Amino acid sequence: MPSPMRTAAVTEEQQEIRREIRRTLRELLAKRAGPADVRAAVDTPEGYDTGLWAALAGTLGLPGLALPEAYGGAGCGPAELAVVCEETGRVLVPSPLLATGVLAAPLITALGTERQRAELLPRIADGTLTCALALPGGSLPPALGLTADNAAEPWSGGGRSGGIQATRPDGEHWSLYGEAGHVLDGHSAGLLLVAAHTGGFPRSRTLLFLVRAGARGLARRREPTLDLTRSQATVRLRDVEAELLGEEPADTLGALAATGRTAALALAAEAVGAARGALDRTVEHAATREQFGRPIGSFQALRHRLADLLVQIEAARSLTVCAAGDPDGEPALLALAQALDAQRAAAAETVQLHGGIGITWEHDAQLYFKRAAADELLFGPAVRLRARAAELGGLFGGPVSGEVA
């Protein structure tokens, strides 16, 4: 049976740090990430406001929040990162935080050589280097262990055609060939972490490689997306010279799964923030929109709907907070599933309760609705997240082979 959730005690100092992070970030985003600012940012070539990113990185140190202090980071943990993601999710601010700070930085920390960490992590921490994790096709959930055991599925190519293949034609330098899709911020990142299959059938394995922007044979194209605030790209590699991240033998799959647990927590917090942002806008609209000579927020049926939605969002937020103090994987997956459900419900109610204006391009309701739909496609669906959590917890007769319950 799954073990009960274990939540570490939170000290007063930690609580004060989190309150200060939330207060400072909320003040900055209120000034520089309003609805008009967000729409302007997604229309830039980068897909985000580079000036705001410089402030988030240089002034607040967000991409280095969870990095070790030895490499210029703040040395905080997943709980502090979750606070940041909740606030950025509340206003749907587009930024490289997820791709760089949540996905790429932990992999470099876990697998990189000392030279690679010393070269790359300080630049990530101060915001001068952005990164993207490039995986074949739509394989992000299984690769991170969110919806499946990443050792059980040949998501990186499996030694056959397709995916991304890594070879050493001269016996020394690595060369990559293949294509990665749905790469978050892949068109603008200064460094790509590319997962590739190598070794064929005799020594089949998946490794991570570093590919610098501008490498010969590298082509990147920003793609139209359902969620305008989360840029994605297609990355094509045609005999691109690459540098192995770390040294062999490398526990690439283990590092990806560990990163997946942290990412699930950050994504859950972000979804909770987005759900609360949608709810706040709906409550504000209900207090000012009148029908039959009175605000629609005064009608009991509508009040009940909004109250039920608040309960669902706060339940997801509580589960996310608890999961931040638990070292295992299943609480984070359950938190993400609950948060995605809450985000979807909040977005749907926002559109419906705004009436006709809620389905127009000019209104922000459509941004929250598209974020909810896109997150399910990118990181879920919620039902598979719960199924994977049940597997990890041994709910179906014991732990998954090769994993600890």
Side-chain angles (χ1 to χ4, degrees):
M1 292 296 292
S3 59
M5 188 177 293
R6 303 180 296 278
T7 303
V10 180
T11 66
E12 179 59 34
E13 180 182 5
Q14 289 173 318
Q15 290 179 334
E16 181 58 32
I17 290 174
R18 293 169 195 175
R19 284 193 292 265
E20 182 63 20
I21 291 173
R22 189 182 300 276
R23 182 191 64 80
T24 305
L25 185 55
R26 187 172 294 190
E27 288 179 357
L28 177 61
L29 294 179
K31 296 176 182 176
R32 301 190 56 176
D37 299 311
V38 170
R39 289 173 180 267
V42 300
D43 288 334
T44 63
E46 297 82 5
Y48 60 90
D49 182 346
T50 55
L52 176 59
W53 175 245
L56 294 175
T59 304
L60 301 184
L62 297 192
L65 191 66
L67 289 178
E69 295 182 26
Y71 300 106
C76 294
E80 288 74 26
L81 188 60
V83 170
V84 168
C85 290
E86 184 178 346
E87 291 303 314
T88 57
R90 184 186 292 263
V91 294
L92 301 182
V93 60
S95 82
L97 180 62
L98 176 60
T100 300
V102 177
L103 295 178
L107 291 170
I108 296 173
T109 304
L111 296 175
T113 64
E114 179 55 36
R115 178 189 63 79
Q116 289 170 336
R117 291 196 295 265
E119 176 192 352
L120 301 174
L121 293 181
R123 295 174 59 201
I124 290 175
D126 65 17
T128 57
L129 177 65
T130 58
C131 306
L133 178 61
L135 304 169
S139 60
L140 186 62
L144 294 177
L146 299 179
T147 57
D149 178 4
N150 64 6
E153 293 192 9
W155 52 267
S156 64
R160 300 179 183 273
S161 61
I164 301 175
Q165 303 296 322
T167 58
R168 281 192 280 194
D170 61 0
E172 181 179 357
H173 300 96
W174 288 99
S175 177
L176 304 183
Y177 192 98
E179 181 174 308
H182 308 294
V183 181
L184 298 173
D185 294 315
H187 67 292
S188 61
L191 179 70
L192 296 175
L193 273 66
V194 182
H197 181 269
T198 189
F201 290 105
R203 296 189 59 220
S204 176
R205 61 202 187 279
T206 298
L207 299 173
L208 282 174
F209 296 88
L210 303 176
V211 175
R212 318 280 172 164
R216 180 178 298 179
L218 173 65
R220 304 186 288 176
R221 183 180 70 246
R222 185 179 179 182
E223 300 289 357
T225 56
L226 175 63
D227 178 9
L228 302 178
T229 64
R230 213 189 282 286
S231 298
Q232 299 175 44
T234 296
V235 175
R236 290 188 175 89
L237 305 112
R238 297 295 183 262
D239 298 322
V240 176
E241 185 173 340
E243 176 187 350
L244 178 66
L245 178 62
E247 299 174 343
E248 290 202 78
D251 185 14
T252 303
L253 299 181
L256 284 167
T259 298
R261 292 192 289 271
T262 304
L265 186 64
L267 290 165
E270 189 182 67
V272 167
R276 189 55 194 263
L279 175 61
D280 289 345
R281 283 162 171 74
T282 306
V283 170
E284 182 181 357
H285 174 76
T288 57
R289 176 74 169 91
E290 292 190 357
Q291 284 187 350
F292 308 109
R294 54 189 287 196
I296 62 174
S298 65
F299 295 115
Q300 189 176 41
L302 192 146
R303 285 185 173 186
H304 286 172
R305 288 170 65 174
L306 293 176
D308 289 343
L309 189 57
L310 176 61
V311 170
Q312 186 175 0
I313 294 171
E314 287 302 307
R317 185 174 186 273
S318 296
L319 186 55
T320 302
V321 171
C322 291
D326 192 292
D328 293 331
E330 57 265 34
L333 297 181
L334 291 173
L336 178 54
Q338 185 79 5
L340 290 178
D341 284 344
Q343 182 179 222
R344 184 176 62 252
E349 289 284 27
T350 296
V351 170
Q352 186 170 16
L353 295 180
H354 274 81
I357 195 175
I359 61 173
T360 63
W361 181 263
E362 291 77 11
H363 200 274
D364 293 335
Q366 54 101 3
L367 295 178
Y368 286 94
F369 188 84
K370 291 175 179 177
R371 168 62 68 90
D375 276 2
E376 284 269 0
L377 294 173
L378 275 173
F379 310 115
V383 64
R384 292 192 63 186
L385 292 167
R386 291 190 174 95
R388 179 60 180 156
E391 273 190 308
L392 288 172
L395 188 62
F396 301 129
V400 181
S401 177
E403 300 181 9
V404 179

